[in-house]
Amino acid sequence: MKILIFIVFFLFGFQFSFSQEIENKPVDSLYKEDQFYAGLTYNFLANKPTNLGQSGFSLGFHFGFIKDMPINKNRNVAIGVGLGYSANSYNQNLQIAKNNTGSYDYTILEDKSTYSRNKFSNHFIELPIEFRWRTSNATDYEFWRIYSGFKLSYMVANNTKYVGNTESLTYKGIPEFNEFQYGVSLCAGYNTWNFYVYYALNPIFSSKAKIEGQSIDMNALKIGLMFYIL
């Protein structure tokens, strides 16, 4: 939690100092906005199987660059296309363990007293595409914004960690995670503080991941804050 608070204040301070510097620059009639972004989210699991629950903090860290391309004369409506990185963790009670055949079993841990930690994490390279509306102009660096978008993500790494009373298990590169994930996003706010939500349109796991013969069709819902920098 201390790390989360530190990152929030670091980003706020960086944006404040950056805004102070750009106030002294000459007016640019071809200005662009919000080229860099960084965000913090709390990650939820939507459409969970019965008895699957979350515990603790499931956090996401997001940052990248977006090419801002205004499409009107006032330059307050734009299309944004970018490239970014996202790291996400999910603390929950779905144990993933390798069996004797080398494949993976998926089991819901119903007795919380038998383990102290259970999570999976994934890392993505992302391609965000946004339709952007804002109240900005060439001299005002504090404005309202509403950015709606679509995001395509490619998983470059994943891992799980289980710490039980009698054993500890760690696995990497589990093949049942969907390598390609995609979803819709919405960001709205004023100046530094912007509410952000992302909803994945396809499941976290492929159809090969099953609990008692049933596919695990849950998907990701991320809610948090997004910070933009010129």
Side-chain angles (χ1 to χ4, degrees):
M1 187 63 181
K2 291 182 179 179
I3 295 176
L4 177 61
I5 295 173
F6 171 78
I7 294 174
V8 170
F9 279 96
F10 173 80
L11 291 171
F12 176 79
F14 182 80
Q15 171 130 346
F16 176 80
S17 62
F18 192 86
S19 297
Q20 292 294 102
E21 291 179 7
I22 61 180
E23 283 180 359
N24 298 322
K25 289 186 176 182
V27 174
D28 181 8
S29 61
L30 299 178
Y31 74 96
K32 298 177 181 179
E33 298 288 1
D34 300 341
Q35 302 276 40
F36 294 92
Y37 68 90
L40 299 170
T41 59
Y42 188 92
N43 298 335
F44 296 90
L45 294 170
N47 302 317
K48 299 187 300 292
T50 304
N51 297 326
L52 195 153
Q54 291 184 251
S55 60
F57 287 97
S58 298
L59 298 178
F61 300 91
H62 319 269
F63 61 87
F65 173 83
I66 292 184
K67 177 67 174 178
D68 187 78
M69 298 175 285
I71 58 175
N72 67 333
K73 183 177 180 180
N74 292 332
R75 305 183 74 80
N76 64 337
V77 178
I79 300 295
V81 179
L83 183 67
Y85 167 79
S86 175
N88 304 272
S89 66
Y90 298 84
N91 290 282
Q92 31 65 47
N93 63 337
L94 176 66
Q95 183 184 22
I96 304 174
K98 184 177 289 188
N99 57 38
N100 294 332
T101 66
S103 59
Y104 291 90
D105 294 327
Y106 296 79
T107 308
I108 293 179
L109 303 169
E110 298 187 11
D111 187 355
K112 295 182 179 180
S113 66
T114 61
Y115 67 98
S116 60
R117 188 178 187 185
N118 187 71
K119 72 172 185 176
F120 63 77
S121 303
N122 47 45
H123 303 261
F124 293 100
I125 297 298
E126 299 186 321
L127 175 65
I129 303 172
E130 297 179 343
F131 178 79
R132 300 173 144 200
W133 173 88
R134 60 224 175 192
T135 59
S136 64
N137 57 55
T139 58
D140 186 6
Y141 301 107
E142 297 182 0
F143 52 86
W144 292 95
R145 61 170 65 79
I146 300 177
Y147 296 165
S148 59
F150 177 85
K151 184 178 292 184
L152 177 64
S153 304
Y154 176 73
M155 185 179 295
V156 294
N158 68 69
N159 62 78
T160 69
K161 186 174 183 62
Y162 165 82
V163 179
N165 295 339
T166 59
E167 62 179 351
S168 179
L169 303 173
T170 301
Y171 300 105
K172 297 180 180 180
I174 297 171
E176 283 82 15
F177 280 101
N178 272 326
E179 286 188 340
F180 286 98
Q181 296 189 18
Y182 53 90
V184 292
S185 64
L186 177 67
C187 183
Y190 178 78
N191 195 20
T192 299
W193 302 99
N194 300 278
F195 173 78
Y196 174 81
V197 59
Y198 166 86
Y199 182 77
L201 298 177
N202 67 324
I204 294 173
F205 295 97
S206 71
S207 59
K208 294 180 180 180
K210 298 180 184 293
I211 300 175
E212 298 181 349
Q214 298 294 319
S215 297
I216 307 172
D217 294 327
M218 63 184 179
N219 48 357
L221 171 63
K222 305 173 185 180
I223 299 176
L225 295 173
M226 191 65 68
F227 304 87
Y228 288 100
I229 305 169
L230 291 178

